[in-house]
């Protein structure tokens, strides 16, 4: 009887023990105040919560799902919005802004965001508490590493995450090789293969980036981190270099394949969801589009209501002359001069709209998340890029035959109409989108499963020191073999000098002997 009681206790206790060992406390910090970024991260913290981990998330876009009982969300949207009141991200990231100016202004913006987050009362309670410990910090990367310092304060592994391909400064910190003849900056429009001029400019930009990071940006980041988290921290660059894992949204279509280190992991289509029924009015409108429908949206950062009046006038006139239904995400209740074939709404369930069989083309700014949604729903595109990586994306898509690229600064009504008609009527565009869709998701594991596995891998092994690239710990002087090259040059010079002296000695002796014979 006593034995049976013990066995029952063990059977009852084992699942509890298993949960306690396998469930971790995770702190996530997602500070960029744009839905297009946050929708990439939301499935990750939701899945971690569903797997039993205790999750605390600092975010500008909380899920607010009561059934996630072990998820605590701290909404910092108001604080971040107040900090960015006089800052326009579309202006900073405009394709008209030089690349070095973009990076400088991005850092200035992230200084403001980091201070807004670190001074938030609820977050102060978290990083100043002494009775709660964490097993992992999951932090959004982008450009500034300031908030990585929270992981150092808690003395736990750090996992960085990006909603697009990481920029050069972050990849270099991870030890990923970066050849300026092959790889350009995330926000650059240099094509592959680059011309001599592009390689020269790319190299100069890389040199400037290293200078700017080491002598301006990182010292400022370190100063802000210490202001809030205390002076008992490693230097911010060392914290970044000790990152256990970097998760980034890349794919073999928009990004050139590169030799990443083992701790740089690719994700894709994280936010793609199963198709849901459309709202009744949108469904009715699209059902009637027997000749096809055009879906037009510039995403969440560039709003149609804010585009130049000249461009808006051209769009309205072009849409009026097209024989298709037009579904337009327009952030106002009223569109002056709206044609009869145009349906407007402030917000659209974009993934479900693109899944409708009558949607034949997506006119888009070509942000990464919009491109992923179009590809997943097999809809070809007409790309009109405005900011950030959008120009790069549409160039690659047009090279793949899945889109036509237009410039919003110079496009005419006829060019715009012809691009839409060409994409709708030429089957090659839809065929190429289907081809890309098959390549994009052909992995051993779905992206979310793969991402969660790697996060839990870091927790299980308390970091990834065993996967750390040796390039992280070597100086640029040694990495580029400058010392070896100098020694080799010295040896070659010494050999040449000895040969020169020897030859000169021999010639001198010959000349002396000739003179002696003449005497």
């Amino acid at each position: 009887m006593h034995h049976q009681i013990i066995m029952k206790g063990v059977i009852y206790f084992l699942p509890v023990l298993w949960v306690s060992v396998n469930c971790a406390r995770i702190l996530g910090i997602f500070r960029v105040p744009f839905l297009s970024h946050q929708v990439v991260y939301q499935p990750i913290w939701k899945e971690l919560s569903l797997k039993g981990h205790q999750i605390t998330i600092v975010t500008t876009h909380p899920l607010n799902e009561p059934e996630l009982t072990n998820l605590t969300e701290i909404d910092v949207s108001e604080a971040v919005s107040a900090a960015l009141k006089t800052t326009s991200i579309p202006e900073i990231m405009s394709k008209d802004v030089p690349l070095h100016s973009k990076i400088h202004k991005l850092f200035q913006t992230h200084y403001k965001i980091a201070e807004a987050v670190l001074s938030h009362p609820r977050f102060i309670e978290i990083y100043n508490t002494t009775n709660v410990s964490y097993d992992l910090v999951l932090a959004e990367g982008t450009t500034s590493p300031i908030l990585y310092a929270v992981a150092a304060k808690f003395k736990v592994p750090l996992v960085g995450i990006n909603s697009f391909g990481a920029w050069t400064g972050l990849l270099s910190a991870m030890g990923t090789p970066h050849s300026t003849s092959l790889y350009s900056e995330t926000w650059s429009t240099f094509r592959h293969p680059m011309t001599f001029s592009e390689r020269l400019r790319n190299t100069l930009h890389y040199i400037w980036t290293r200078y700017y990071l080491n002598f301006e940006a990182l010292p400022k980041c370190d100063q802000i981190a210490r202001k809030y988290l205390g002076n008992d921290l490693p230097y911010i660059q060392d914290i970044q270099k000790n990152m256990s894992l970097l998760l980034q949204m890349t794919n073999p279509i928009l990004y050139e394949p590169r030799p990443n280190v083992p701790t740089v992991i690719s994700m894709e289509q994280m936010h793609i969801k199963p198709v849901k029924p459309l709202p009744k009015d949108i469904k009715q409108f699209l059902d009637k589009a027997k000749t096809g429908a055009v879906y037009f949206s510039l995403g969440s950062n560039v709003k149609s209501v804010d585009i130049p009046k000249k461009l808006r006038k051209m769009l309205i006139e072009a849409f009026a002359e097209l024989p298709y239904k037009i579904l337009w995400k327009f952030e106002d209740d009223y569109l002056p001069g709206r044609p009869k074939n145009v349906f407007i709404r402030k917000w659209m369930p974009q993934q479900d709209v693109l899944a409708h069989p009558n949607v034949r083309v997506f006119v888009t700014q070509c942000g990464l998340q919009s491109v992923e949604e179009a590809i997943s729903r097999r809809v070809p595109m007409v790309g009109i890029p405005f900011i950030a990586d959008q120009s790069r994306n549409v160039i690659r898509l047009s090279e793949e035959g899945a889109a036509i690229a237009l410039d919003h600064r110079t496009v005419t009504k006829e060019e715009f109409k012809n691009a839409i008609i060409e994409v709708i009527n030429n089957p090659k565009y839809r065929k190429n989108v289907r081809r890309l869709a098959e390549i994009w998701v052909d992995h051993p594991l779905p992206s979310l499963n793969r991402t969660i596995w790697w996060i839990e891998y870091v927790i299980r092994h308390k970091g990834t020191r065993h996967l750390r690239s040796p390039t992280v710990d070597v100086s640029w002087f040694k990495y580029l073999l400058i010392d070896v090259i100098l020694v080799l040059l010295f040896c070659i010079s010494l050999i040449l000098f000895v040969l020169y002296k020897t030859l000169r000695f021999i010639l001198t002796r010959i000349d002396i002997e000739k003179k002696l014979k003449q005497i």
Side-chain angles (χ1 to χ4, degrees):
M1 184 70 177
H2 181 67
H3 177 72
Q4 289 178 338
I5 292 172
I6 293 174
M7 287 303 297
K8 285 181 180 179
V10 170
I11 293 169
Y12 173 79
F13 180 69
L14 276 176
V16 176
L17 179 63
W18 185 88
V19 170
S20 66
V21 169
N22 290 276
C23 295
R25 295 186 68 91
I26 300 172
L27 174 62
I29 310 169
F30 303 99
R31 68 194 188 279
V32 175
F34 304 126
L35 182 61
S36 58
H37 290 249
Q38 297 288 326
V39 293
V40 173
Y41 313 134
Q42 288 172 345
I44 297 174
W45 78 65
K46 180 175 180 177
E47 183 65 19
L48 287 169
S49 174
L50 290 171
K51 290 199 71 177
H53 299 291
Q54 296 295 318
I55 313 294
T56 300
I57 298 295
V58 179
T59 178
T60 57
H61 289 76
L63 286 169
N64 293 322
E65 296 184 9
E67 64 272 19
L68 300 174
T69 54
N70 54 341
L71 171 64
T72 301
E73 293 175 309
I74 299 173
D75 187 351
V76 294
S77 56
E78 289 187 10
V80 172
S81 295
L84 299 182
K85 195 172 183 180
T86 59
T87 303
S88 172
I89 299 296
E91 287 182 12
I92 290 173
M93 296 305 293
S94 169
K95 61 183 183 178
D96 297 323
V97 176
L99 193 52
H100 69 280
S101 182
K102 273 191 182 80
I103 292 172
H104 173 72
K105 290 178 178 178
L106 268 177
F107 268 97
Q108 299 295 321
T109 301
H110 283 290
Y111 299 153
K112 296 178 185 178
I113 294 175
E115 295 224 45
V117 172
L118 287 168
S119 60
H120 192 279
R122 289 192 64 192
F123 192 36
I124 290 174
E125 289 177 12
I126 287 176
Y127 65 71
N128 275 344
T129 187
T130 56
N131 59 353
V132 176
S133 61
Y134 291 92
D135 300 294
L136 182 81
V137 168
L138 182 62
E140 187 175 16
T142 317
T143 49
S144 162
I146 296 171
L147 292 171
Y148 293 165
V150 176
K153 184 174 179 64
F154 284 114
K155 295 181 173 58
V156 296
L158 168 66
V159 171
I161 183 169
N162 260 17
S163 59
F164 51 88
W167 81 294
T168 303
L170 187 49
L171 287 175
S172 297
M174 296 299 295
T176 292
H178 183 83
S179 169
T180 56
S181 63
L182 298 174
Y183 307 111
S184 59
E185 191 57 87
T186 302
W187 306 289
S188 170
T189 57
F190 293 159
R191 300 188 184 206
H192 182 76
M194 286 185 273
T195 64
F196 171 78
S197 172
E198 288 172 338
R199 284 185 284 119
L200 176 61
R201 288 156 59 196
N202 196 42
T203 302
L204 292 174
H205 169 73
Y206 181 76
I207 294 170
W208 174 87
T209 298
R210 306 312 301 166
Y211 167 82
Y212 178 72
L213 274 174
N214 288 313
F215 295 101
E216 292 189 42
L218 290 177
K220 178 66 175 178
C221 291
D222 188 71
Q223 178 188 345
I224 294 172
R226 292 175 187 277
K227 175 182 174 182
Y228 293 93
L229 303 173
N231 287 316
D232 189 22
L233 292 172
Y235 184 57
I236 196 72
Q237 188 176 35
D238 295 326
I239 295 172
Q240 185 173 239
K241 285 182 176 181
N242 280 319
M243 190 186 301
S244 293
L245 197 68
L246 174 62
L247 302 164
Q248 57 170 352
M249 291 289 289
T250 55
N251 56 77
I253 309 304
L254 302 182
Y255 294 87
E256 297 90 353
R258 64 188 304 158
N260 282 319
V261 296
T263 50
V264 175
I265 307 299
S266 177
M267 310 179 293
E268 70 285 320
Q269 298 193 358
M270 293 293 293
H271 70 297
I272 302 300
K273 299 176 181 177
V275 180
K276 294 180 292 188
L278 285 167
K280 187 176 179 181
D281 54 349
I282 296 178
K283 184 178 186 305
Q284 288 177 346
F285 181 80
L286 291 176
D287 286 345
K288 294 176 182 177
K290 302 305 179 184
T291 59
V294 177
Y295 174 53
F296 178 49
S297 171
L298 297 178
S300 57
N301 296 328
V302 178
K303 294 178 169 53
S304 295
V305 73
D306 295 329
I307 62 176
K309 290 182 179 178
K310 180 182 177 183
L311 177 60
R312 188 198 299 179
K313 182 174 180 290
M314 183 278 291
L315 293 171
I316 290 171
E317 291 176 357
F319 285 147
E321 296 175 13
L322 286 169
Y324 312 113
K325 298 282 188 183
I326 314 295
L327 197 60
W328 187 346
K329 178 182 170 289
F330 188 79
E331 299 80 11
D332 202 343
D333 294 320
Y334 177 65
L335 173 62
R338 178 174 67 88
K340 292 181 179 179
N341 64 333
V342 173
F343 179 100
I344 65 168
R345 261 233 183 144
K346 291 181 180 179
W347 177 86
M348 299 276 185
Q350 186 160 286
Q351 296 186 38
D352 304 320
V353 166
L354 291 170
H356 195 285
N358 287 344
V359 174
R360 305 286 298 281
V361 62
F362 180 18
V363 181
T364 170
Q365 88 288 7
C366 278
L368 179 55
Q369 279 68 53
S370 289
V371 170
E372 285 192 327
E373 291 172 6
I375 297 292
S376 71
R377 304 311 194 214
R378 276 65 168 173
V379 179
M381 290 154 276
V382 169
I384 310 178
F386 282 80
I387 64 172
D389 59 343
Q390 296 169 3
S391 295
R392 175 197 187 100
N393 294 343
V394 74
I395 287 171
R396 287 292 299 122
L397 289 168
S398 61
E399 289 173 348
E400 293 287 345
I404 290 179
L406 299 175
D407 190 331
H408 70 85
R409 298 165 299 187
T410 59
V411 63
T412 65
K413 181 176 71 173
E414 291 305 314
E415 287 174 339
F416 183 66
K417 285 168 52 183
N418 290 340
I420 290 175
I421 292 169
E422 165 69 10
V423 171
I424 289 177
N425 292 330
N426 190 334
K428 81 166 189 177
Y429 294 95
R430 190 166 289 271
K431 179 182 177 182
N432 284 324
V433 165
R434 290 196 187 102
R435 174 177 58 84
L436 297 184
E438 292 172 1
I439 294 172
W440 211 306
V441 295
D442 194 359
H443 292 281
L445 280 174
S447 186
L448 182 58
N449 300 57
R450 193 167 67 250
T451 300
I452 298 299
W453 186 90
W454 272 107
I455 291 172
E456 293 182 330
Y457 180 90
V458 173
I459 296 170
R460 285 195 299 273
H461 300 289
K462 295 179 172 54
T464 57
R465 188 77 190 179
H466 54 290
L467 296 178
R468 183 182 174 92
S469 169
T471 53
V472 173
D473 301 311
V474 69
S475 67
W476 66 270
F477 192 85
K478 293 179 181 177
Y479 178 74
L480 296 175
L481 294 175
I482 301 298
D483 50 352
V484 174
I485 292 170
L486 288 175
V487 169
L488 290 175
L489 287 175
F490 173 78
C491 293
I492 292 170
S493 300
L494 183 61
I495 292 170
L496 291 174
F497 177 76
V498 170
L499 287 174
Y500 167 74
K501 285 293 187 180
T502 304
L503 184 61
R504 186 174 178 182
F505 174 77
I506 293 171
L507 292 174
T508 303
R509 294 295 301 171
I510 292 172
D511 186 56
I512 291 172
E513 288 179 4
K514 283 183 179 180
K515 288 180 180 179
L516 289 173
K517 286 180 180 180
Q518 289 175 356
I519 295 173

